[in-house]
Amino acid sequence: MEKLAQAEKPVLIVSPDFPPRKGGVADHTYRLALSLKDKFNVRVLTSKYCDELDELHVFPAVYDWHEAEEIYNQIIYLSKKCRVIWQYVPHMYGRGGVNSAIPEVVEMLAETQTRQMMIAHEIFAPMSWLPHRAKYALSQRSQWKKISRHMERIGISAQAWIDRGWGVTPQNHDAYELCPSPSGIPLQKIEKDHKVHWKMDHGLSADTMIIGFFGMPGPGKQFDWVVDAWRDAQKSHKEVALVCIGKEPDFEPDSSLKSLYVPTGYLEPEDVSKALHAVDVMALPYELGVSEKRTSFTGSLQHGLPIVTTHGDETSDQLRQCKAFVSCEAGDRGAFSNSVTHLIQEDTAREALRPLASKYYSSNLSWEHVAGKIEDWIKHPRKVRFK
């Protein structure tokens, strides 16, 4: 009876981003809906350009995310008694990450006693001395305060944000809980000789070692550290290639290393998984340190890869203490490079990390873990202190 009662009341996920649009939140929304649909009547409210899918109840109905009445009416139309889960990244809702319509809709729903929850992938931009950036940062903080006060539960994608009180309202602190960003890549089963075939298909010899870089190169990813580590690894007396999985970096290797550089460009999810399975060491030197919100990190753990990463301001105590990967201080470029080379050289050390990585992902960062957490939220209402 309980399962039937839960299914009768829809769970409505609200997100402007949804496939076919590419991006972390679009993928996350799709996978979140899939992970909940067997236990709840899941619906997705998204933008007009997005896809309707056979396997999910998707409503691409919102033309303008700055029109509060339009958004509110669509939510009420889909169900007056739904449980709403907001996907939240400030810039997804408007230029500069500021949109007065969203706090207005949240407050209107609160007045009807609609249960609202939120998964925040970003909270607000850091403060800046530049006037226009400071204005956006302050406006985003004000917006966050207006929205978060009405949320029954707030899932934060990085534990360090909660530990440091970033965005946490004291009167509502117990609403905050870690809700990591699992891998968006479906894990593919592979044959025993997959690595050899993948390498040969991409112009590499069968015994070439592969350093991987996964995700979107850009600010905070320190791709230049990866290049340095790759160059240093050539001293290991092994042939070492660099494979970049995802958007091709703006980078031209030295002529002596050109044959050992493989940028895949964008791939279909199944092909991403196959590329990940070919990697020997994944290099992920985040400028602010690794966190539970980094899907390049969670995807690499999911595939059981030996990882070298960094710890810094965004790294939780749990991740700092984790033995499922190798982590260096975020500012120590030399230690990062040395750690990559060490794993390339030491087969035993690499292979010891693989089962630890897979186990940590399954227990702490997987879609099953996140779905169980949200199921618990839905089944156990929490009183909202602010009205």
Side-chain angles (χ1 to χ4, degrees):
M1 288 294 292
E2 180 189 9
K3 186 172 181 180
L4 179 61
Q6 291 290 344
E8 286 174 349
K9 293 181 179 180
V11 172
L12 179 65
I13 303 172
V14 180
S15 174
D17 284 359
F18 194 77
R21 183 166 186 175
K22 296 185 182 297
V25 179
D27 294 341
H28 187 281
T29 304
Y30 172 68
R31 293 297 298 271
L32 177 63
L34 284 180
S35 68
L36 294 174
K37 75 167 190 167
D38 289 339
K39 295 191 176 180
F40 302 100
N41 177 7
V42 176
R43 301 173 180 180
V44 178
L45 176 63
T46 188
S47 304
K48 260 294 181 185
Y49 59 78
C50 295
D51 285 348
E52 296 184 49
L53 302 174
D54 292 338
E55 68 268 33
L56 290 170
H57 299 297
V58 181
F59 299 87
V62 178
Y63 282 99
D64 188 350
W65 289 94
H66 288 269
E67 290 292 334
E69 187 174 353
E70 178 187 355
I71 301 167
Y72 177 77
N73 287 341
Q74 290 291 350
I75 292 173
I76 297 301
Y77 171 76
L78 291 174
S79 178
K80 293 182 180 179
K81 291 294 181 182
C82 61
R83 285 73 57 92
V84 176
I85 299 177
W86 293 90
Q87 289 276 43
Y88 190 75
V89 177
H91 66 259
M92 184 169 65
Y93 288 100
R95 182 178 174 82
V98 181
N99 184 341
S100 62
I102 303 305
E104 186 178 343
V105 174
V106 167
E107 188 163 352
M108 291 163 69
L109 290 171
E111 290 173 357
T112 67
Q113 298 185 330
T114 298
R115 294 182 63 191
Q116 298 183 83
M117 307 164 200
M118 178 168 58
I119 299 175
H121 306 274
E122 300 285 351
I123 301 177
F124 39 62
M127 289 301 298
S128 171
W129 292 106
L130 298 174
H132 68 288
R133 291 188 179 178
K135 178 182 177 181
Y136 284 138
L138 289 170
S139 297
Q140 289 176 21
R141 282 161 172 75
S142 175
Q143 177 172 285
W144 171 262
K145 190 172 182 180
K146 292 174 184 176
I147 292 171
S148 62
R149 69 199 301 251
H150 294 296
M151 294 296 151
E152 184 179 309
R153 301 279 186 175
I154 301 172
I156 301 292
S157 62
Q159 180 64 43
W161 297 349
I162 303 174
D163 295 342
R164 290 165 177 74
W166 294 351
V168 177
T169 308
Q171 298 91 331
N172 204 27
H173 67 91
D174 55 342
Y176 291 75
E177 191 174 343
L178 174 64
C179 190
S181 297
S183 170
I185 305 302
L187 188 65
Q188 300 295 298
K189 291 183 179 180
I190 57 168
E191 301 295 331
K192 190 174 182 180
D193 56 356
H194 167 77
K195 271 192 175 186
V196 172
H197 287 298
W198 194 95
K199 291 174 186 177
M200 294 178 69
D201 288 345
H202 290 81
L204 303 174
S205 62
D207 57 353
T208 300
M209 301 293 289
I210 292 179
I211 294 172
F213 177 80
F214 178 31
M216 183 84 70
K221 304 294 181 66
Q222 302 190 131
F223 179 69
D224 55 324
W225 283 33
V226 178
V227 173
D228 282 355
W230 173 44
R231 287 171 177 153
D232 289 346
Q234 307 304 320
K235 304 170 188 174
S236 66
H237 306 294
K238 296 183 179 182
E239 189 174 70
V240 184
L242 174 60
V243 173
C244 296
I245 305 169
K247 182 180 178 181
E248 185 172 344
D250 183 15
F251 166 68
E252 186 68 30
D254 300 337
S255 57
S256 60
L257 294 175
K258 199 163 188 176
S259 64
L260 295 173
Y261 177 55
V262 181
T264 68
Y266 286 116
L267 298 172
E268 293 299 318
E270 294 79 8
D271 292 324
V272 171
S273 180
K274 292 173 183 176
L276 288 171
H277 277 304
V279 169
D280 293 296
V281 177
M282 181 61 74
L284 300 170
Y286 304 107
E287 186 176 12
L288 297 179
V290 70
S291 71
E292 300 86 352
K293 74 186 181 76
R294 297 291 190 178
T295 54
S296 50
F297 169 67
T298 58
S300 298
L301 287 174
Q302 173 201 26
H303 284 74
L305 297 183
I307 300 168
V308 180
T309 186
T310 52
H311 52 263
D313 288 347
E314 291 194 349
T315 307
S316 64
D317 290 341
Q318 182 176 345
L319 286 181
R320 286 174 182 268
Q321 296 164 13
C322 183
K323 303 300 183 184
F325 52 91
V326 176
S327 180
C328 311
E329 286 286 347
D332 197 336
R333 190 172 189 151
F336 178 83
S337 184
N338 290 339
S339 295
V340 172
T341 298
H342 174 74
L343 283 186
I344 286 290
Q345 292 174 324
E346 299 294 332
D347 297 353
T348 302
R350 275 199 322 278
E351 294 309 309
L353 287 172
R354 290 187 181 277
L356 298 177
S358 298
K359 183 177 180 181
Y360 189 81
Y361 176 80
S362 298
S363 301
N364 299 277
L365 302 169
S366 65
W367 281 110
E368 291 77 12
H369 175 76
V370 169
K373 185 185 294 285
I374 294 175
E375 181 182 354
D376 185 66
W377 292 357
I378 292 170
K379 289 183 175 180
H380 300 94
R382 175 189 166 277
K383 186 177 180 181
V384 179
R385 294 179 184 174
F386 284 115
K387 290 294 183 185

